[in-house]
Amino acid sequence: MAIVDPIYEGLASGWKHLDGSDYQGGDKPETLEADVVIIGTGAGGGVAADILTQAGLSVVMVEKGPLRSSRDFDMEERTAYPNLYQQAAALKTADKAIGIFQGRAVGGSTTVNWTTSIRTPPETLAYWQSEFNVKGLSAKELEPWFEQMESRLHISQWAFEPNRNNGMLRRGCEQLGWDYTVIKRNVLGCWNTGYCGMGCPVNAKQSMLVTTIPAALSAGATLLSRFEATAIEHHGDKVYGIWVQARDQNLAPRPEKLMLKARHYILAGGAIHTPVLMMRSGLADPMQLLGKRTFLHPTVLSGAVFDEAINGHSGAPQSIYSDQFVWRDGAAGELGYKLEVPPIHPVLIASKTLGFGKSHAELMANFNQLQVVIALVRDGFHPQSQGGNVSLDGRGFKLDYPLTEPFWRAARAAFASMAELQFAAGARRVLPISEGVGYLNSWQEARAAIADMSLAPLKTVVASAHVMGGCPMGEDKNKAMVDSLGQSHYLENLSVMDGSVFPTSLGANPQLSIYGMVAKNATALGGRLAPGSKVPETAPDTDPVADAAPETASETISPAALL
């Protein structure tokens, strides 16, 4: 069956796309104008671009990563990680204790995520309303927006038998009488290959790469890939432009720059890069909120060896989860944890397990019998779980994320839950992924060992694929950088539309929460920006802003002329 490649076909039809590695500027930087400039093309940027172009607005999208398509997705980890992930999937917190997976390509993390689509838990929304004065985001108020995006992105409950990796999670829950749910996935015509994390080779995953971004480009939007937003030009309560710098094939900086000017600017670079750009540009932050309270759903892992084949590399990566322990002690109580499974691919698992030499060889020799459960710890609700801190350093940024005692209590409880579940499902041996703990041969042995096991940073493997917070929303300026619609409290023509606005973590995988909230906010913004009302204003001569934007753009040109 022929696989339709919307990127290939769209480019052939004349989409306006400029690759920074090819861009040849003049003696001085040129200026590109639009109604709206969007920085970032992931879950937030993609949805915003689609909705705003439908509203009749001209849109420029900017992405630091490359534009890839299904023709580039060869189901090889060695290809996918360096080409599609931040820092080749090796991004870590400052102390190296937490590994972080984030996408870095057109489509952002939606290009490489595992398709799990869960609405924002009502408990989270209620907490935001009571503790952060967030308005208009109750479960009832968000329902039509979730329904809209679920329809737009073909999100529905996985109708097929889960793979053996997920099946063991379900079996363990059934044996113990625990809660479990069949996951909703954003797929259409899925081949059930299990390689979502390497880019969908058949375009079944309804990521931004094959849905909203092609729709926006077909409606006349412009895409700049391999361009990085380096500085926001601002003065008083307005943004006057954003500088973007070209990158080469390896994403190293090139000297060429462009000035982007618009009536409104949307930051959608994600929970690390949006606050970093705002800090680097010197935007107003009187309460010093930017980069603070960055959340990760820090995640611990438990391996189990079964007598039967699991083949966790094959089949939908995530199709079953359990919320048995997420809200057990209330939102602000002990940190709850969500139980899911990851896909089991060789490099991914080898890099997230411990040991070397014979012990690691033994583990990998049992690869096809290996089942893995992960526990995503809900952070940001407990008084001693305030998340991490993104800050600038001489070369870029760093993310400090202290693993506090409440996290370790949750991690220990999670290791016990995962081991109990895996033995209940029929595991022969269970291996908590923490240094100093070997294979455990029964639930009784595991319960005693886990109660006494030593847990610590770098000793216990902790990972994350969910980065949230750092630019919180709400109506109280003492606690929020943007209002409940994502509009900046300090700049009248700047919005933030990504997971950085979450005041806490979610307690669930974030993509559908971003889709629904951005659909709501972008629709409201589109209504405010009637086409043709005002042209971009000119920055004042005495602009006190961004350190990295000293040049003056030489010539304003249309996107068509540039491309």
Side-chain angles (χ1 to χ4, degrees), residues 17-25 225-227 246-249 254 256:
H17 168 240
L18 179 61
D19 188 325
S21 65
D22 297 329
Y23 174 59
Q24 299 298 323
S225 64
R226 290 195 179 104
F227 276 92
R247 296 265 166 170
D248 67 15
Q249 292 277 343
R254 298 182 61 220
E256 289 81 4

Side-chain angles (χ1 to χ4, degrees), residues 443-454:
W443 165 229
Q444 291 73 22
E445 181 185 354
R447 181 165 53 187
I450 291 170
D452 292 334
M453 67 192 286
S454 175

